[in-house]
Amino acid sequence: MSPSSSQPTFASPDSAGPDSVVASQVAADAVAFPDDDIDAVHPVDPPSGNGPRSSSDGGGFLHAIVFVVVMLAMFINPIEPKTSAEFDRATSSLNVLTLAKLAIAAAASGLGGIALLVSPRTRQLLGSLPGLGLLALGGLFCITSLFAIQSNAMISRASALIFVGYLLFTAMALATLGPRRMLAAIVAGTSLYMLVTWGLFVLVPEMGTFEEYISATETVQRMGGTGHPNNIAKTAIAIGLVSVAMYLGRTNSLISVGVRGPWQRLVLIAIMVLAAATVVATLSRTAMLAGMAAGGVLLIDRLYGRGGLALGIIGIASAAGLVLAISLFTGEGPFSESAVSAVTKSGDVEELTSLTGRTTIWEEAIGLIALRPLTGYGMDSAASVMSREATGTHNLLLHVTFSAGVFACLLMLLMLGWSLVFGATSPQEWIRTVLTYVLVSGLVEDTIIESFPTTLTILWMAALLAPALAGRSQS
């Protein structure tokens, strides 16, 4: 495809080489960061000759459409009204919210499908090893959905097609917007979601509070309304980590997402505070621990020298101070019954040793998987098949196996291995923190691959695909 062909909007000519790729990113960044900050992000001279057209023409219109679709998906897809565990048993219905999600999925899938046909850069991303792995995983979801249990067959098949559609759209968004503008759209949409969640929690507590039973007679109040507290916390942690990566991140390559404009950085600080407050309100300890691990990996290259030593000392002192505070507050040792009650919901140490009942859930999931090892039960089927107390497998590999069988599990294991070896060691802060968070959170939660992909699923796809974008610019 030549730069002056009838599809200039994807800015992806094979013949133009690295200059056209850089120019495309500069044009895209000019819309989101119109001030002098653009020069700090891409300190290169504009190419001469036959580069892609400016974002002020049809390409700019496409950028705007893609940006809005990404933002709407991140705002609408996570919403799943919940005020108690009983809502986990609800089946999907064609209400207004579901129709909105389907409309956004159709738009995203349509854009991704068109890009697959006309955009070499989109095909380049999907043709990378991680891209082929994701396509194979989507193919397995589609094939095994043909054998899904009858009560969940339609939902499973729709979920599989939606996964493939969003995969194509994620590649198209990376190729069209570039990583930085795509992450800006993700952050914007997810921030709206968190604001709506807080609005319900504060202004309409009967709708925004999740009541969780911790015993036969005791309950604890957690932030809910727009989803299960663990899912809200997962989303908040993900967007908080991405905001930190954009605030501190590099600005020296095509897939860097760092920003240096004062107003943009001020907005990122506000989003970090919002995300942290959201995690605290959900009382999700698993999300907090996974977030701490991913945050440490994000900052790993800053932990050398005196600064890193100071941070280490502060961390150790803070942990010791917390133990001391618990001991002083309870009047007993840090592992006494009173101290345990300070860090658990029920006050029972078994809550910690069983990972809040997850060990029992895993046994149930493995027993059910053994009955259908090759095909699983279909995507989004756990709530229909497992016991009322489970509502999900609470482990990423079990989640994939339960949905699509052992072959999908093996493929997912390879994808996670790739994430560990190549992702968690990436020089790009946003890539390694996203992939690390998926790896750690996936030990105790389903984490990604929902019926309608939410923030962390899209970030996971983008983090796997983005290095191929840098590889193309150097080819």
Side-chain angles (χ1 to χ4, degrees):
M1 184 187 303
S2 68
S4 59
S5 65
S6 59
Q7 294 90 9
T9 54
F10 291 98
S12 55
D14 282 328
S15 60
D19 284 345
S20 65
V21 176
V22 174
S24 173
Q25 183 68 17
V26 171
D29 284 336
V31 177
F33 301 95
D35 300 322
D36 293 337
D37 185 46
I38 186 67
D39 296 326
V41 176
H42 298 290
V44 297
D45 295 328
S48 59
N50 56 352
R53 288 188 288 177
S54 167
S55 63
S56 61
D57 59 9
F61 180 68
L62 177 64
H63 294 159
I65 291 176
V66 175
F67 190 96
V68 169
V69 172
V70 172
M71 187 174 69
L72 286 176
M74 298 303 94
F75 173 41
I76 299 295
N77 283 0
I79 298 177
E80 189 178 351
K82 280 182 171 61
T83 58
S84 73
E86 293 298 319
F87 281 76
D88 282 331
R89 311 305 302 174
T91 55
S92 299
S93 58
L94 287 180
N95 53 36
V96 174
L97 180 60
T98 304
L99 290 174
K101 292 181 180 181
L102 288 171
I104 295 171
S109 301
L111 289 170
I114 294 172
L116 182 64
L117 296 176
V118 303
S119 170
R121 289 180 72 187
T122 300
R123 293 194 294 271
Q124 172 78 18
L125 295 178
L126 294 171
S128 64
L129 281 177
L132 293 174
L134 289 170
L135 286 172
L137 187 62
L140 278 175
F141 286 149
C142 291
I143 293 171
T144 55
S145 69
L146 298 176
F147 306 94
I149 58 173
Q150 188 61 35
S151 62
N152 204 67
M154 182 178 295
I155 295 174
S156 175
R157 291 159 193 166
S159 299
L161 293 174
I162 289 170
F163 176 86
V164 174
Y166 270 103
L167 171 58
L168 300 180
F169 178 67
T170 300
M172 182 264 192
L174 277 173
T176 306
L177 298 177
R180 189 171 68 148
R181 287 198 70 209
M182 182 179 179
L183 262 63
I186 291 174
V187 169
T190 307
S191 298
L192 289 176
Y193 167 73
M194 288 193 293
L195 288 173
V196 170
T197 304
W198 271 103
L200 291 175
F201 186 63
V202 174
L203 302 178
V204 194
E206 62 272 14
M207 293 180 60
T209 302
F210 184 91
E211 188 175 17
E212 179 181 18
Y213 277 90
I214 56 176
S215 69
T217 58
E218 296 177 299
T219 62
V220 63
Q221 305 294 317
R222 307 172 66 186
M223 174 180 277
T226 59
H228 190 282
N230 290 348
N231 291 336
I232 296 173
K234 172 191 72 176
T235 299
I237 285 284
I239 219 61
L241 291 170
V242 167
S243 297
V244 173
M246 295 180 74
Y247 187 91
L248 299 175
R250 302 166 183 263
T251 62
N252 59 351
S253 82
L254 188 63
I255 60 174
S256 297
V257 299
V259 298
R260 295 296 179 263
W263 287 108
Q264 289 99 351
R265 290 164 71 88
L266 188 63
V267 170
L268 288 174
I269 291 174
I271 293 172
M272 294 176 211
V273 173
L274 176 65
T278 302
V279 175
V280 172
T282 60
L283 303 178
S284 178
R285 293 158 302 182
T286 54
M288 294 178 191
L289 292 174
M292 291 171 60
V297 172
L298 187 157
L299 299 172
I300 192 68
D301 58 350
R302 298 173 180 268
L303 297 181
Y304 300 103
R306 295 179 181 178
L309 179 62
L311 287 174
I313 293 173
I314 292 172
I316 295 173
S318 299
L322 178 62
V323 171
L324 178 61
I326 292 174
S327 299
L328 292 175
F329 179 75
T330 61
E332 302 182 34
F335 301 105
S336 65
E337 182 177 346
S338 299
V340 168
S341 66
V343 293
T344 63
K345 301 170 190 171
S346 62
D348 188 352
V349 71
E350 194 272 338
E351 183 179 327
L352 299 179
T353 58
S354 70
L355 297 175
T356 322
R358 284 176 172 82
T359 52
T360 302
I361 293 172
W362 294 339
E363 291 178 6
E364 179 186 353
I366 292 171
L368 289 169
I369 288 170
L371 301 177
R372 294 173 62 99
L374 296 180
T375 63
Y377 292 83
M379 294 185 70
D380 197 26
S381 61
S384 301
V385 177
M386 298 184 70
S387 64
R388 183 180 297 273
E389 292 76 18
T391 71
T393 62
H394 291 278
N395 175 273
L396 182 52
L397 287 176
L398 289 178
H399 170 53
V400 172
T401 311
F402 198 95
S403 299
V406 292
F407 293 111
C409 175
L410 292 175
L411 185 54
M412 189 68 191
L413 193 60
L414 290 176
M415 300 299 297
L416 294 178
W418 182 278
S419 299
L420 178 64
V421 175
F422 296 99
T425 58
S426 170
Q428 301 299 326
E429 295 86 353
W430 73 275
I431 291 178
R432 64 174 183 259
T433 194
V434 166
L435 296 182
T436 299
Y437 184 63
V438 169
L439 287 168
V440 178
S441 177
L443 295 173
V444 291
E445 295 291 351
D446 296 347
T447 303
I448 55 175
I449 309 179
E450 312 89 347
S451 294
F452 294 94
T454 58
T455 299
L456 194 54
T457 299
I458 299 299
L459 285 172
W460 176 66
M461 293 178 182
L464 288 172
L465 295 173
L469 196 64
R472 175 181 170 84
S473 70
Q474 297 167 359
S475 61

